[in-house]
Amino acid sequence: MTKFTDLKLDPKVLTAIVEAGYETPTPIQAGAIPPALEGKDVLGIAQTGTGKTASFTLPMITLLSKGRARARMPRSLVLCPTRELAAQVAENFDIYAKHTKLTKALLIGGVSFSEQDKLIDRGVDVLIATPGRLLDHFERGKLLLTGVQIMVVDEADRMLDMGFIPDIERIFQLTPFTRQTLFFSATMAPEIERITNTFLHGPARIEVARQATTSETITQKLVQIAPPRRDQAAKAKRELLRALIAAEGETCTNAIIFCNRKTDVDIVAKSLKTHGFNAAPIHGDLEQRQRMQTLDSFREGGLQLLIASDVAARGLDIPAVSHVFNYDLPSHAEDYVHRIGRTGRAGRLGTAISIATPADEKYLSQIQALVKMEIPRAELPEGFELSEAAHREPKTYDEDEGRRGRSRGGRDRDRGERGDRGERGEGRTRTRGGRERNREAAEALPEAIETTEAVAVEAPAAPRAEQREPREPRSEAPRRDREERRDDRRDRDERRERGGRGRDRDHGPAVVGMGDHVPDFILRSFRTTRPAAASDAASEAETEADAIETPEVVEESSES
Ligand code: AMP
């Protein structure tokens, strides 16, 4: 078996590895580090959790230990799709480079430019960045990429999902042809293959087995509940969730609770807090500082329950998580594997408890087909009974949320969940559900205006024609995380405000190719004409696309 000492790493790096407690290199490290140290390009097909960050950070530190950084000319560049992942790479770099004099800068949105400029001006060895913010600095003339000797692209498949590939291509072209490229992706979609064929030169290809099954160290349970009323399904699930957490008692030192929708992330977090749990949400709508604080607090043990969307939690490395709860069963089976893989890491034991309602039947069978096992069924917690309120029609004031509940806490959201399901092919019911949802959301205005469902009725008819295009099945279409794309769009908007790419603010950022770009006119908010547009749109809401697609998209634009 390969040992770290066999890998010709800088002795200072080896000391840091020993201090980090690593004994042997992981397969991706054993495979990628030797060719990287020889100066070869590397194509690593591996996902988070395989030790891939160290597989590029360790050789980078070793290679950069000779030579000095020059002002505004970083010697290496690591591109990450999200701010959190970039911050995580920066933390890894700090650990492995702590005995060296190498310097780094982290360029991510939500952090002041002037601080970042100062660091770059001084000269850095390693620049860790998200593509949007990096191009921002470049366009401001604050950064030269001609000194980049090593360029890393991390999580390329997520870059593709988020529409960053044109930015990545541009960044490749701004760096010297002679650079060394270390390129990582969990999957090799045709577009990723194309990029690697174009920009990598004779790469060493290291593929690490995909996490196809769920870890043996995770105890899985499925708790089924049949909510007495459809419009109280969410309430019933929240009550059950509280009971499940309580039943785990002290064994539940900390947990990530997954919801399928951002609105539910907030509601579940608020509800848990109201009931005395130490809980906080994380999703793409929150301020970057808040996201970081929440994550830090969770990592350090100050926060017990992290309520998350898939996008916010994917790729994050939080080693000691005792429990994962699926408040919703994920609609994409592989998300189940990702989610429960947040616990039971590094040989620790973990528990994953999923809540399922009869409406989840289809998802459940897809998940079980993927993990090739039946998820063991568990009883409802002892003594658990739904409250009387969960049997009644929702009130206008929901004591769970401490706010008007009808639109947000009750019906609309339940309909929203149905809508999500309908999106993936349940025929007529979707259309009807969507229409109903729009009509009732319109009635609920203006109180409900904050909800995604209500916002749906504000959308104009024009862009919908495009949204009625048949959707590609998931397996063939790159998945795009709107939440994170919006984050990047926020960065671009900041750039545009400063005159970055010189585009008219009202017409959105330059669209480079058609790739994964959604034309901005589709994303524009029409809030000002709210009441009239609401009723118009409600009556026009004839298709599922209207009802299902519009809310999230409009929600994105409301950020800008
Ligand atoms: P990554 O895939 O880079 O997100 O790494 C996943 C986790 O594995 C991180 O917590 C690393 O600290 C840890 N790790 C990386 N390399 C090793 C190793 N050789 N031995 C043990 N743990 C490691």
Side-chain angles (χ1 to χ4, degrees):
M1 193 192 282
T2 315
K3 297 198 286 291
F4 274 114
T5 44
D6 300 334
L7 291 178
K8 301 192 181 138
L9 289 162
D10 186 316
K12 289 175 181 156
V13 173
L14 287 174
T15 309
I17 291 171
V18 171
E19 288 168 4
Y22 303 167
E23 284 164 12
T24 45
T26 64
I28 186 77
Q29 291 163 0
I33 293 174
L37 286 175
E38 285 169 24
K40 290 190 182 143
D41 283 358
V42 169
L43 172 57
I45 305 166
Q47 56 185 348
T48 306
T50 54
K52 72 175 165 55
T53 316
S55 78
F56 61 79
T57 321
L58 303 179
M60 271 174 82
I61 298 169
T62 302
L63 291 168
L64 294 170
S65 60
K66 295 182 197 80
R68 273 189 57 226
R70 288 163 58 192
R72 287 195 281 157
M73 290 180 73
R75 300 165 67 206
S76 66
L77 180 61
V78 181
L79 292 173
C80 302
T82 65
R83 300 167 183 189
E84 280 79 7
L85 284 168
Q88 203 166 282
V89 170
E91 275 170 28
N92 274 253
F93 176 83
D94 286 343
I95 295 169
Y96 307 134
K98 69 178 184 188
H99 299 298
T100 72
K101 292 206 171 89
L102 295 178
T103 55
K104 65 138 208 299
L106 178 63
L107 299 192
I108 52 175
V111 177
S112 106
F113 273 89
S114 57
E115 284 299 307
Q116 297 179 336
D117 282 346
K118 264 188 234 158
L119 284 172
I120 297 171
D121 279 349
R122 256 183 258 149
V124 289
D125 298 294
V126 182
L127 192 58
I128 302 160
T130 49
R133 188 47 83 103
L134 180 89
L135 285 173
D136 246 354
H137 279 268
F138 180 79
E139 283 162 1
R140 285 154 42 103
K142 297 286 183 187
L143 181 65
L144 291 168
L145 295 175
T146 43
V148 171
Q149 298 158 23
I150 307 171
M151 174 163 156
V152 178
V153 179
D154 194 14
E155 307 236 345
D157 47 344
R158 291 201 63 198
M159 301 270 198
L160 173 67
D161 288 348
M162 292 159 67
F164 288 161
I165 294 298
D167 285 348
I168 299 293
E169 288 190 76
R170 178 150 181 245
I171 296 167
F172 264 124
Q173 282 155 357
L174 295 171
T175 59
F177 179 75
T178 51
R179 67 167 190 266
Q180 178 183 7
T181 308
L182 311 176
F183 192 100
F184 291 82
S185 186
T187 54
M188 287 301 287
E191 183 69 353
I192 303 279
E193 197 90 50
R194 183 185 69 76
I195 298 285
T196 56
N197 289 340
T198 311
F199 295 105
L200 271 62
H201 307 292
R205 184 180 167 119
I206 297 102
E207 187 157 359
V208 170
R210 222 177 135 63
Q211 192 182 350
T213 52
T214 45
S215 166
E216 309 250 300
T217 55
I218 305 168
T219 304
Q220 299 176 60
K221 295 181 203 172
L222 185 89
V223 182
Q224 290 170 302
I225 182 171
R229 294 176 60 100
R230 248 180 170 197
D231 55 8
Q232 288 285 40
K235 184 171 183 60
K237 282 165 70 174
R238 289 195 301 271
E239 290 183 1
L240 175 57
L241 175 67
R242 294 198 293 269
L244 289 169
I245 299 169
E248 291 301 296
E250 287 184 0
T251 62
C252 180
T253 48
N254 61 355
I256 305 181
I257 298 164
F258 284 95
C259 303
N260 290 355
R261 294 165 61 89
K262 279 181 286 180
T263 42
D264 285 325
V265 168
D266 273 333
I267 292 166
V268 170
K270 242 180 229 173
S271 164
L272 286 169
K273 270 193 270 183
T274 307
H275 286 269
F277 290 88
N278 176 6
I282 182 157
H283 57 68
D285 279 356
L286 300 170
E287 285 295 318
Q288 181 62 16
R289 191 182 305 169
Q290 204 179 339
R291 285 158 71 169
M292 289 300 201
Q293 273 171 0
T294 303
L295 276 177
D296 284 347
S297 166
F298 188 66
R299 276 202 187 98
E300 287 156 16
L303 174 69
Q304 190 203 2
L305 305 175
L306 181 70
I307 330 305
S309 61
D310 288 290
V311 172
R314 206 178 318 144
L316 292 179
D317 177 39
I318 304 167
V321 177
S322 75
H323 283 63
V324 163
F325 291 93
N326 283 318
Y327 167 85
D328 294 311
L329 271 189
S331 50
H332 302 303
E334 67 253 44
D335 282 341
Y336 179 80
V337 180
H338 288 299
R339 286 180 181 189
I340 76 164
R342 306 287 96 206
T343 182
R345 281 163 89 86
R348 293 185 180 88
L349 296 178
T351 304
I353 304 178
S354 303
I355 297 177
T357 66
D360 296 319
E361 197 63 43
K362 193 173 94 193
Y363 300 140
L364 182 58
S365 49
Q366 285 167 354
I367 290 166
Q368 295 188 145
L370 180 77
V371 300
K372 299 190 177 66
M373 62 177 266
E374 172 160 286
I375 305 173
R377 302 322 195 238
E379 296 293 319
L380 291 168
E382 213 179 307
F384 173 75
E385 267 184 41
L386 285 173
S387 69
E388 280 207 8
H391 291 82
R392 285 197 309 262
E393 188 185 354
K395 289 189 210 158
T396 50
Y397 184 89
D398 189 320
E399 65 275 18
D400 240 8
E401 275 78 71
R403 54 172 296 154
R404 266 176 205 282
R406 182 150 173 173
S407 60
R408 187 167 182 131
R411 281 188 182 174
D412 283 351
R413 196 178 58 261
D414 293 342
R415 282 195 302 276
E417 287 168 359
R418 304 235 94 69
D420 260 7
R421 272 154 207 161
E423 183 184 6
R424 292 181 182 94
E426 280 162 7
R428 297 180 59 194
T429 48
R430 318 176 254 188
T431 311
R432 198 171 54 236
R435 224 181 286 149
E436 264 170 36
R437 185 150 55 91
N438 278 272
R439 191 179 59 241
E440 291 184 83
E443 281 163 17
L445 287 171
E447 288 86 346
I449 204 71
E450 290 167 70
T451 73
T452 48
E453 289 80 12
V455 175
V457 299
E458 298 173 81
R464 292 187 184 143
E466 299 212 25
Q467 292 172 355
R468 281 188 205 117
E469 292 290 322
R471 311 191 94 225
E472 287 176 276
R474 175 180 159 72
S475 55
E476 289 160 38
R479 176 152 167 215
R480 294 178 290 169
D481 293 322
R482 296 190 174 99
E483 217 173 273
E484 294 288 352
R485 280 207 327 274
R486 195 221 37 248
D487 259 12
D488 185 57
R489 199 165 295 123
R490 202 187 290 159
D491 281 358
R492 288 183 195 193
D493 286 343
E494 285 169 17
R495 182 159 73 223
R496 216 161 52 214
E497 268 163 27
R498 290 187 312 276
R501 283 184 177 171
R503 275 297 201 101
D504 177 349
R505 175 151 178 71
D506 288 332
H507 290 90
V511 174
V512 185
M514 280 310 287
D516 278 311
H517 288 276
V518 180
D520 249 17
F521 72 89
I522 291 181
L523 311 177
R524 239 180 284 151
S525 172
F526 289 79
R527 278 169 190 272
T528 45
T529 54
R530 189 179 298 155
S535 51
D536 286 356
S539 61
E540 283 166 17
E542 292 297 322
T543 69
E544 77 216 50
D546 294 341
I548 295 157
E549 286 293 329
T550 314
E552 288 184 45
V553 176
V554 174
E555 193 184 8
E556 285 174 26
S557 69
S558 65
E559 284 289 315
S560 51

